[in-house]
Amino acid sequence: VGKPIFTSDRLYENTPPGVVMGLAWTAMGGSTLFIETRSKSSVAAKVLNDSENKPAPAPTGTLFLTGHLGEVMKESSSIAHTYSLSFLAKHRPENSFLSTSHIHLHVPEGATPKDGPSAGVTMVTALLSLSLNVPIRQNVAMTGELSLTGKVLPVGGIKEKTIAARRVGVDCIILPSENKKDYNELASFITEGLEVHFVDNYEDVFKIVFPSEKL
Amino acid sequence: VGKPIFTSDRLYENTPPGVVMGLAWTAMGGSTLFIETRSKSSVAAKVLNDSENKPAPAPTGTLFLTGHLGEVMKESSSIAHTYSLSFLAKHRPENSFLSTSHIHLHVPEGATPKDGPSAGVTMVTALLSLSLNVPIRQNVAMTGELSLTGKVLPVGGIKEKTIAARRVGVDCIILPSENKKDYNELASFITEGLEVHFVDNYEDVFKIVFPSEKL
Amino acid sequence: VGKPIFTSDRLYENTPPGVVMGLAWTAMGGSTLFIETRSKSSVAAKVLNDSENKPAPAPTGTLFLTGHLGEVMKESSSIAHTYSLSFLAKHRPENSFLSTSHIHLHVPEGATPKDGPSAGVTMVTALLSLSLNVPIRQNVAMTGELSLTGKVLPVGGIKEKTIAARRVGVDCIILPSENKKDYNELASFITEGLEVHFVDNYEDVFKIVFPSEKL
């Protein structure tokens, strides 16, 4: 047990569908944190022999987690899963991917313990990207706690996270509105040329990272 | 790791169906505590091929919890779930939402540990609001332990909770009858202009927060 | 965190079906302890498509517990559940309520830890009251450990429990026969006017609290 020093802080140059760049904050400073999602298998509707057209049992999607996640981050992923289900039910009612799939969500690197609620918006974005099979806008990083109804709550470490995003070449970051004051305190050499969005609700995030998807 | 100080103590200006404002009491003083509920998926009745009209298996609703809840608060949510099921069976027998749904109940913020039984009435109200798909009366906050049959038991921190409710603009609070003496000891500058209701049973709460729903 | 002093030690003036008053004994003295039971949902028999008349799976009732119960009290409730099932199978073979229901048993107040085996007879009485949908005789309190076959075993704190029962207006108490010597040592101002029954088997309890039910 023991790990080599990070050779790069940016695991993906381009993120495919289901992968989104988040931002983490530790005692060592800020860093990127990628959320990876893949479908394990489809939960096909169990259609029973039914000559009278009675309704079949409702399928139920599941979420499976790896990446040495702490309890708060595990709960945060459950919140992201439930919110993503209700987001699709509202905006993409024809899309049953999430409600019929066993999803595996992983946060590299596997040996590094991670915790906290601030990857909420990142996890929802990964799940929706996978469900829509659409990659998100490239070179965007985000951070924010999510409530069950999609409100975006403030998080810590805005300075460290912004520096980490700049270091890896991110040109757009998405932050909770309540962190605007923290961002405005940053020196201009950190924020110069960086596109920043402050959001109150997850739907604001969606519009930024899926510009070609109507809402 | 680490959180900014709250800039606002009120997460929702208007609460949608399934969300209710409670009041919490900690060593740091009183604060609002929102209960959020959403349906994860419907548990459709598993209707089997049955040419002889035998009864199908009864569907069973479930409750899934997040929000860093302690053991007493987890038990409290189970009591709220069972009571809400029996409340609907009695007063809305045609409403099978709760007995056929997987419900997700979350208490923001995800990294803050919470415990105690005093959100019982708040959780029942959130579950009934979600089941009826009706928002509760706005600007109301409540606190009270619930027994399995719907009795409302006294709680601690009435002073701190009342101050917290005033601070965020609540104009009506619902308290257990046995806390009337605690409320009456508060200075008039705290209680002036505040509508207060003392309740013995959950049905009293229902009448206040769902004024257009007959009981 | 923190609770006001009880203004009343008697949660129920009249107990509905499924609720029974027990007696507890702590370092603080005796007190009443109510056992509350409710059905969460019916476990309907799973009738399968069966053209060959194969037997359907047997339905199974379950018991779900809340109230900050310790391990001994949890085991005690399991004993009460099994005994109640066998009691109904013997005396009410047509009553399948308990074998087909998910029962929720709660012991208020939720934040107070409770343990010990002495609520055995109280829990059986609550389960049978719920199953028969008949309230028990009012103003009765009871204490006693139960064996799996219905024997009533002695318990501690007879003096404190008797005083607690008198304080809340109970006029009849049911005690294990082996505690008769403890009761007879009590001062007459405690026991005067109090109807007391000493029992060896649960069936003795049943006759006292369900006077209109034949056995």
Side-chain angles (χ1 to χ4, degrees):
Chain A
V1 291
K3 296 242 9 186
I5 301 297
F6 273 112
T7 51
S8 160
D9 203 21
R10 181 159 180 175
L11 183 57
Y12 286 86
E13 278 309 308
N14 295 292
T15 51
V19 179
V20 175
M21 194 194 310
L23 296 166
W25 178 39
T26 70
M28 308 289 289
S31 71
T32 59
L33 178 100
F34 285 89
I35 304 292
E36 301 179 321
T37 60
R38 279 291 173 265
S39 170
K40 281 165 68 86
S41 68
S42 173
V43 188
K46 295 182 189 174
V47 179
L48 299 171
N49 176 15
D50 182 8
S51 55
E52 295 172 72
N53 268 341
K54 285 168 192 160
T60 309
T62 62
L63 184 64
F64 174 74
L65 306 172
T66 54
H68 213 325
L69 311 184
E71 286 308 309
V72 170
M73 196 162 179
K74 284 180 182 172
E75 289 198 346
S76 182
S77 69
S78 295
I79 295 160
H81 190 235
T82 298
Y83 177 74
S84 300
L85 278 162
S86 64
F87 183 96
L88 288 175
K90 180 179 176 189
H91 295 294
R92 295 290 185 278
E94 76 288 356
N95 187 325
S96 65
F97 176 82
L98 214 51
S99 60
T100 59
S101 295
H102 295 305
I103 305 292
H104 185 155
L105 186 153
H106 177 57
V107 191
E109 308 186 357
T112 307
K114 306 162 196 85
D115 207 352
S118 75
V121 295
T122 319
M123 294 195 278
V124 168
T125 305
L127 291 170
L128 293 179
S129 167
L130 187 71
S131 300
L132 301 171
N133 197 28
V134 172
I136 74 159
R137 177 181 154 184
Q138 298 297 307
N139 285 320
V140 177
M142 63 190 67
T143 185
E145 177 173 350
L146 199 80
S147 96
L148 193 60
T149 63
K151 288 184 177 288
V152 179
L153 311 183
V155 298
I158 294 299
K159 181 181 178 184
E160 293 80 357
K161 288 174 174 177
T162 305
I163 292 171
R166 291 307 297 258
R167 196 173 55 224
V168 300
V170 161
D171 51 34
C172 170
I173 62 173
I174 303 174
L175 302 176
S177 285
E178 289 208 42
N179 286 118
K180 193 169 189 172
K181 62 186 184 314
D182 305 306
Y183 187 83
N184 288 339
E185 286 167 4
L186 300 183
S188 62
F189 72 86
I190 299 176
T191 59
E192 199 166 23
L194 189 61
E195 179 183 338
V196 61
H197 296 270
F198 299 102
V199 295
D200 286 308
N201 283 283
Y202 182 76
E203 294 181 357
D204 300 333
V205 178
F206 188 88
K207 291 170 190 163
I208 299 162
V209 297
F210 297 105
S212 63
E213 296 283 322
K214 74 172 176 55
L215 201 59
Chain B
V1 286
K3 293 246 7 190
I5 301 297
F6 272 112
T7 52
S8 163
D9 201 22
R10 181 160 179 173
L11 181 56
Y12 288 85
E13 278 310 307
N14 296 292
T15 51
V19 180
V20 175
M21 195 194 310
L23 296 167
W25 178 39
T26 69
M28 307 290 289
S31 72
T32 59
L33 178 101
F34 285 89
I35 304 292
E36 301 181 320
T37 60
R38 278 291 174 265
S39 170
K40 279 169 70 86
S41 68
S42 172
V43 188
K46 295 184 187 175
V47 179
L48 300 171
N49 178 14
D50 181 7
S51 56
E52 294 173 70
N53 268 341
K54 286 169 192 160
T60 307
T62 62
L63 184 65
F64 174 75
L65 305 173
T66 54
H68 214 325
L69 310 184
E71 286 308 310
V72 170
M73 196 161 180
K74 284 180 182 172
E75 289 198 345
S76 182
S77 69
S78 295
I79 295 160
H81 191 235
T82 299
Y83 177 74
S84 300
L85 279 162
S86 64
F87 183 95
L88 287 175
K90 180 178 176 189
H91 295 292
R92 295 290 185 279
E94 76 288 357
N95 187 325
S96 64
F97 177 82
L98 214 52
S99 59
T100 60
S101 295
H102 295 305
I103 305 292
H104 185 154
L105 185 153
H106 176 57
V107 191
E109 309 187 355
T112 307
K114 306 161 195 88
D115 207 352
S118 74
V121 296
T122 318
M123 294 195 277
V124 168
T125 304
L127 291 169
L128 292 179
S129 168
L130 187 71
S131 299
L132 300 171
N133 196 27
V134 172
I136 74 159
R137 176 181 154 184
Q138 298 297 308
N139 286 318
V140 177
M142 64 189 67
T143 184
E145 178 174 349
L146 199 79
S147 96
L148 192 61
T149 62
K151 288 185 177 288
V152 179
L153 312 183
V155 298
I158 294 299
K159 182 180 178 184
E160 292 81 358
K161 288 174 174 176
T162 305
I163 292 171
R166 290 307 296 256
R167 196 172 55 223
V168 299
V170 161
D171 51 35
C172 170
I173 61 173
I174 303 174
L175 303 175
S177 285
E178 289 208 42
N179 286 118
K180 193 169 190 172
K181 62 186 182 313
D182 305 306
Y183 187 83
N184 287 339
E185 286 168 5
L186 300 182
S188 62
F189 71 87
I190 298 175
T191 59
E192 199 166 23
L194 188 62
E195 179 183 337
V196 61
H197 297 270
F198 299 102
V199 296
D200 286 308
N201 283 283
Y202 183 77
E203 293 182 357
D204 300 333
V205 178
F206 188 88
K207 290 170 192 163
I208 299 163
V209 297
F210 296 105
S212 62
E213 296 283 323
K214 74 173 177 53
L215 200 60
Chain C
V1 284
K3 294 244 7 187
I5 301 296
F6 273 111
T7 52
S8 162
D9 201 22
R10 182 159 179 174
L11 181 57
Y12 287 85
E13 279 310 306
N14 296 292
T15 51
V19 180
V20 174
M21 195 195 310
L23 296 167
W25 177 39
T26 70
M28 307 289 289
S31 73
T32 59
L33 178 101
F34 284 88
I35 304 292
E36 300 181 321
T37 60
R38 279 290 174 264
S39 169
K40 279 169 72 85
S41 68
S42 172
V43 188
K46 294 183 188 174
V47 179
L48 300 171
N49 175 15
D50 183 7
S51 56
E52 296 172 69
N53 267 340
K54 286 170 194 159
T60 309
T62 62
L63 184 65
F64 174 75
L65 306 173
T66 54
H68 213 326
L69 311 185
E71 286 308 309
V72 171
M73 197 161 178
K74 284 180 181 170
E75 290 198 348
S76 181
S77 69
S78 294
I79 295 162
H81 191 234
T82 299
Y83 177 75
S84 300
L85 278 162
S86 65
F87 183 96
L88 287 173
K90 179 179 176 188
H91 295 293
R92 295 290 186 278
E94 76 288 356
N95 188 325
S96 64
F97 177 82
L98 214 53
S99 58
T100 60
S101 295
H102 295 305
I103 304 292
H104 185 155
L105 185 153
H106 176 57
V107 190
E109 308 186 356
T112 307
K114 307 161 195 87
D115 208 350
S118 76
V121 295
T122 320
M123 293 195 278
V124 169
T125 305
L127 291 170
L128 293 179
S129 167
L130 187 71
S131 300
L132 300 172
N133 196 28
V134 171
I136 73 159
R137 176 180 154 183
Q138 299 296 308
N139 286 318
V140 176
M142 64 188 68
T143 184
E145 177 175 348
L146 199 79
S147 90
L148 195 60
T149 61
K151 289 186 178 291
V152 179
L153 312 182
V155 298
I158 294 300
K159 182 180 176 183
E160 292 80 359
K161 289 174 173 176
T162 305
I163 291 171
R166 291 306 298 256
R167 195 173 56 224
V168 299
V170 162
D171 50 34
C172 169
I173 61 172
I174 303 174
L175 302 176
S177 286
E178 290 206 43
N179 285 117
K180 192 168 190 174
K181 61 186 184 309
D182 305 305
Y183 187 83
N184 287 340
E185 285 168 5
L186 300 182
S188 62
F189 72 87
I190 298 175
T191 59
E192 199 166 23
L194 189 61
E195 179 184 335
V196 60
H197 296 269
F198 299 103
V199 295
D200 287 308
N201 283 284
Y202 183 76
E203 293 181 357
D204 301 332
V205 178
F206 188 88
K207 291 170 191 164
I208 298 163
V209 297
F210 296 106
S212 63
E213 296 283 322
K214 75 172 176 53
L215 200 60

